[in-house]
Amino acid sequence: MQEMQARWLGRFTAAGAQSLLDLRTHLEQEDDMSAPTAPASIDPDSTDGGVPDHVFTIVIRCSAQRLWEALTETGVARSWFFDTTATLSTDTWEVGTAYTMGMPGFPMMVGTVLEVDEPHRLVITLDARW
């Protein structure tokens, strides 16, 4: 297993994969155990200019709404995402809203909301600051 991880997951990719597993663990501990959310399909005509370089897929046994809440919750440290918190320039995740994700005094990511279809799709820009 370790050889497989070393071969197929790089140092940074492994951390991203672990974050997805931590998110799944966090959400599946909730009482809401409805049908798993199907992975989103990649739209080559989307505003991001095409298919991303990396696509991670994970099945999480929770409702789409619960997953949306976990991803968009502001002011709460995310144990599954390096203990970062999200802050917004407005009260809601809407197109054009600026966001910051990080720790107090250390913004790790900043960006803008490009597309919202709650609870199914959230498209954001990402400017890594680490």
Coordinates of all heavy atoms in Angstrom, one line a residue, residues 60-104:
I60 N -19.4 10.5 -0.4 CA -19.6 10.8 1.0 C -21.1 10.5 1.2 O -22.0 11.0 0.5 CB -19.3 12.3 1.2 CG1 -17.8 12.6 1.0 CG2 -19.7 12.6 2.7 CD1 -17.4 14.0 1.1
R61 N -21.4 9.7 2.2 CA -22.8 9.4 2.5 C -23.4 10.5 3.4 O -23.5 10.4 4.6 CB -22.8 8.1 3.3 CG -22.5 6.9 2.4 CD -22.4 5.6 3.2 NE -21.9 4.5 2.4 CZ -20.7 4.2 2.1 NH1 -19.7 5.0 2.5 NH2 -20.4 3.2 1.3
C62 N -23.9 11.5 2.7 CA -24.6 12.6 3.3 C -25.4 13.3 2.2 O -25.2 13.0 1.0 CB -23.7 13.6 4.0 SG -22.8 14.6 3.0
S63 N -26.4 14.1 2.6 CA -27.1 14.8 1.6 C -26.3 15.9 0.9 O -25.3 16.4 1.4 CB -28.4 15.5 2.2 OG -27.9 16.5 3.1
A64 N -26.7 16.3 -0.3 CA -26.0 17.4 -1.0 C -26.1 18.7 -0.2 O -25.1 19.4 -0.1 CB -26.7 17.6 -2.4
Q65 N -27.2 18.9 0.5 CA -27.3 20.1 1.3 C -26.3 20.1 2.5 O -25.6 21.1 2.8 CB -28.7 20.3 1.9 CG -28.9 21.5 2.7 CD -28.7 22.8 1.8 OE1 -29.1 22.8 0.7 NE2 -28.1 23.8 2.4
R66 N -26.1 18.9 3.1 CA -25.1 18.9 4.2 C -23.7 19.1 3.7 O -22.9 19.7 4.4 CB -25.2 17.5 4.9 CG -24.3 17.3 6.1 CD -24.6 18.3 7.2 NE -23.5 18.3 8.2 CZ -22.6 19.3 8.4 NH1 -22.8 20.4 7.8 NH2 -21.7 19.1 9.3
L67 N -23.4 18.5 2.6 CA -22.0 18.7 2.0 C -21.9 20.2 1.7 O -20.8 20.8 2.0 CB -21.9 17.9 0.8 CG -20.5 18.1 0.0 CD1 -19.4 17.7 0.9 CD2 -20.5 17.2 -1.2
W68 N -22.9 20.8 1.1 CA -22.8 22.3 0.8 C -22.5 23.1 2.0 O -21.7 24.0 2.0 CB -24.1 22.7 0.1 CG -24.2 24.2 -0.2 CD1 -24.6 25.2 0.6 CD2 -23.8 24.8 -1.4 NE1 -24.5 26.4 0.0 CE2 -24.0 26.2 -1.2 CE3 -23.2 24.3 -2.6 CZ2 -23.7 27.1 -2.3 CZ3 -22.9 25.2 -3.6 CH2 -23.1 26.6 -3.4
E69 N -23.3 22.8 3.1 CA -23.1 23.5 4.3 C -21.6 23.4 4.9 O -21.0 24.3 5.3 CB -24.1 23.1 5.4 CG -25.5 23.5 5.1 CD -26.6 22.8 5.9 OE1 -26.2 21.9 6.7 OE2 -27.7 23.0 5.6
A70 N -21.1 22.2 4.8 CA -19.7 21.9 5.3 C -18.7 22.7 4.5 O -17.8 23.3 5.0 CB -19.4 20.5 5.2
L71 N -18.9 22.8 3.1 CA -18.0 23.5 2.3 C -18.1 25.0 2.4 O -17.1 25.7 2.2 CB -18.2 23.1 0.8 CG -17.8 21.6 0.5 CD1 -18.2 21.3 -0.9 CD2 -16.4 21.3 0.8
T72 N -19.3 25.5 2.6 CA -19.5 27.0 2.6 C -19.7 27.6 4.0 O -19.9 28.8 4.1 CB -20.8 27.3 1.8 OG1 -21.9 26.7 2.4 CG2 -20.6 26.8 0.3
E73 N -19.6 26.8 5.0 CA -19.8 27.3 6.4 C -18.6 28.3 6.7 O -17.5 28.1 6.4 CB -19.7 26.2 7.4 CG -20.1 26.5 8.8 CD -20.2 25.2 9.6 OE1 -19.4 24.2 9.3 OE2 -21.0 25.2 10.5
T74 N -19.0 29.5 7.2 CA -18.0 30.5 7.5 C -17.7 30.6 9.0 O -18.6 30.3 9.8 CB -18.4 31.9 6.9 OG1 -19.6 32.3 7.5 CG2 -18.5 31.8 5.4
G75 N -16.5 31.1 9.3 CA -16.2 31.4 10.7 C -16.0 30.1 11.6 O -15.8 30.3 12.8
V76 N -15.9 29.0 11.0 CA -15.7 27.7 11.8 C -14.5 27.0 11.2 O -14.4 26.8 10.0 CB -17.0 26.8 11.7 CG1 -16.7 25.5 12.4 CG2 -18.2 27.5 12.2
A77 N -13.6 26.6 12.1 CA -12.4 26.0 11.6 C -12.7 24.6 11.0 O -13.5 23.9 11.6 CB -11.4 25.8 12.8
R78 N -12.1 24.3 9.9 CA -12.4 23.1 9.2 C -11.3 22.1 9.5 O -10.2 22.2 9.0 CB -12.4 23.3 7.7 CG -13.6 24.1 7.2 CD -13.3 24.6 5.8 NE -14.4 25.1 5.1 CZ -14.9 26.3 5.4 NH1 -14.3 27.1 6.2 NH2 -16.0 26.8 4.8
S79 N -11.5 21.1 10.4 CA -10.5 20.2 10.8 C -10.1 19.4 9.6 O -8.9 18.9 9.5 CB -11.1 19.2 11.9 OG -12.2 18.5 11.4
W80 N -10.9 19.2 8.6 CA -10.6 18.4 7.4 C -9.9 19.2 6.3 O -9.6 18.7 5.3 CB -11.9 17.8 6.8 CG -13.0 18.8 6.7 CD1 -14.0 19.0 7.7 CD2 -13.3 19.6 5.7 NE1 -14.9 20.0 7.3 CE2 -14.5 20.4 6.0 CE3 -12.7 19.9 4.4 CZ2 -15.0 21.4 5.2 CZ3 -13.3 20.9 3.6 CH2 -14.4 21.6 4.0
F81 N -9.7 20.5 6.6 CA -9.0 21.4 5.6 C -8.0 22.3 6.3 O -8.1 23.5 6.3 CB -10.0 22.2 4.8 CG -9.4 22.7 3.5 CD1 -8.9 21.9 2.5 CD2 -9.3 24.1 3.3 CE1 -8.4 22.4 1.3 CE2 -8.7 24.6 2.2 CZ -8.3 23.7 1.2
F82 N -7.0 21.6 7.0 CA -5.9 22.3 7.6 C -6.3 23.3 8.7 O -5.7 24.3 8.9 CB -5.0 23.0 6.6 CG -4.6 22.1 5.4 CD1 -5.1 22.3 4.2 CD2 -3.8 21.0 5.6 CE1 -4.8 21.5 3.1 CE2 -3.4 20.2 4.5 CZ -3.9 20.5 3.3
D83 N -7.5 23.1 9.3 CA -8.0 24.0 10.3 C -8.2 25.4 9.8 O -8.1 26.4 10.6 CB -7.2 24.0 11.6 CG -7.4 22.7 12.4 OD1 -8.5 22.2 12.4 OD2 -6.4 22.2 12.9
T84 N -8.5 25.6 8.5 CA -8.8 26.9 8.0 C -10.2 27.4 8.3 O -11.1 26.5 8.5 CB -8.6 27.0 6.5 OG1 -9.4 26.1 5.9 CG2 -7.1 26.6 6.1
T85 N -10.5 28.7 8.2 CA -11.8 29.2 8.3 C -12.0 30.0 7.0 O -11.1 30.5 6.4 CB -12.0 30.1 9.5 OG1 -11.1 31.2 9.5 CG2 -11.9 29.3 10.8
A86 N -13.3 30.1 6.6 CA -13.6 30.9 5.4 C -14.3 32.2 5.9 O -15.1 32.2 6.8 CB -14.6 30.1 4.5
T87 N -13.9 33.3 5.2 CA -14.6 34.6 5.4 C -15.0 35.1 4.1 O -14.3 34.8 3.1 CB -13.7 35.6 6.2 OG1 -12.5 35.7 5.4 CG2 -13.4 35.1 7.6
L88 N -16.1 35.8 4.0 CA -16.7 36.3 2.8 C -16.8 37.8 2.8 O -16.9 38.4 3.9 CB -18.1 35.8 2.6 CG -18.2 34.3 2.5 CD1 -19.7 33.9 2.4 CD2 -17.5 33.7 1.2
S89 N -16.8 38.5 1.7 CA -17.0 39.9 1.6 C -18.4 40.3 1.8 O -18.8 41.4 2.0 CB -16.4 40.5 0.3 OG -17.1 40.0 -0.8
T90 N -19.3 39.3 1.7 CA -20.8 39.5 1.9 C -21.3 38.4 2.8 O -20.5 37.6 3.3 CB -21.6 39.5 0.6 OG1 -21.5 38.1 0.0 CG2 -21.1 40.5 -0.4
D91 N -22.6 38.4 3.1 CA -23.1 37.4 4.0 C -23.4 36.0 3.3 O -23.6 35.0 4.0 CB -24.4 37.9 4.6 CG -24.2 39.0 5.6 OD1 -23.1 39.2 6.1 OD2 -25.2 39.8 5.8
T92 N -23.4 36.0 2.0 CA -23.7 34.7 1.3 C -22.7 34.4 0.2 O -22.1 35.3 -0.3 CB -25.1 34.8 0.8 OG1 -25.2 35.8 -0.2 CG2 -26.1 34.9 1.9
W93 N -22.7 33.2 -0.2 CA -21.8 32.8 -1.3 C -22.7 33.1 -2.6 O -23.6 32.3 -3.0 CB -21.5 31.3 -1.3 CG -20.6 30.9 -0.2 CD1 -21.0 30.7 1.1 CD2 -19.2 30.7 -0.3 NE1 -19.8 30.3 1.9 CE2 -18.7 30.3 1.0 CE3 -18.3 30.8 -1.3 CZ2 -17.4 30.1 1.3 CZ3 -17.0 30.5 -1.0 CH2 -16.5 30.2 0.3
E94 N -22.4 34.2 -3.2 CA -23.1 34.6 -4.4 C -22.1 35.0 -5.5 O -20.9 35.4 -5.1 CB -24.1 35.7 -4.2 CG -23.6 36.9 -3.5 CD -24.7 37.8 -3.0 OE1 -25.7 37.3 -2.4 OE2 -24.5 39.0 -3.1
V95 N -22.4 35.0 -6.7 CA -21.5 35.3 -7.8 C -20.9 36.7 -7.5 O -21.6 37.7 -7.2 CB -22.2 35.3 -9.2 CG1 -21.3 35.8 -10.3 CG2 -22.7 33.9 -9.5
G96 N -19.6 36.8 -7.7 CA -18.9 38.1 -7.5 C -18.4 38.3 -6.1 O -17.6 39.2 -5.8
T97 N -18.8 37.4 -5.1 CA -18.4 37.6 -3.7 C -16.9 37.2 -3.6 O -16.5 36.1 -4.2 CB -19.2 36.6 -2.8 OG1 -20.6 37.1 -2.9 CG2 -18.7 36.7 -1.4
A98 N -16.1 38.0 -2.9 CA -14.7 37.6 -2.6 C -14.7 36.8 -1.4 O -15.5 37.0 -0.4 CB -13.9 38.9 -2.4
Y99 N -13.8 35.8 -1.3 CA -13.6 35.0 -0.1 C -12.2 34.9 0.3 O -11.3 35.1 -0.6 CB -14.2 33.6 -0.3 CG -13.4 32.7 -1.1 CD1 -12.4 31.9 -0.5 CD2 -13.5 32.7 -2.5 CE1 -11.6 31.1 -1.3 CE2 -12.7 31.9 -3.3 CZ -11.7 31.1 -2.7 OH -10.9 30.3 -3.4
T100 N -11.9 34.6 1.5 CA -10.6 34.3 2.0 C -10.7 33.0 2.8 O -11.6 32.8 3.6 CB -10.0 35.4 2.9 OG1 -10.0 36.6 2.1 CG2 -8.6 35.1 3.4
M101 N -9.7 32.1 2.7 CA -9.7 30.9 3.5 C -8.3 30.8 4.1 O -7.3 31.0 3.4 CB -10.0 29.7 2.7 CG -10.5 28.5 3.5 SD -11.2 27.2 2.4 CE -12.6 27.9 1.7
G102 N -8.3 30.6 5.4 CA -7.0 30.6 6.1 C -7.1 30.5 7.6 O -8.2 30.2 8.1
M103 N -6.1 30.9 8.2 CA -6.1 31.0 9.7 C -5.9 32.5 10.1 O -5.5 33.3 9.2 CB -4.9 30.2 10.2 CG -5.0 28.7 10.0 SD -3.5 27.9 10.5 CE -3.1 27.1 9.0
P104 N -6.3 32.9 11.3 CA -6.2 34.3 11.7 C -4.9 34.9 11.4 O -3.8 34.3 11.8 CB -6.5 34.2 13.2 CG -7.3 33.0 13.4 CD -6.8 32.0 12.4

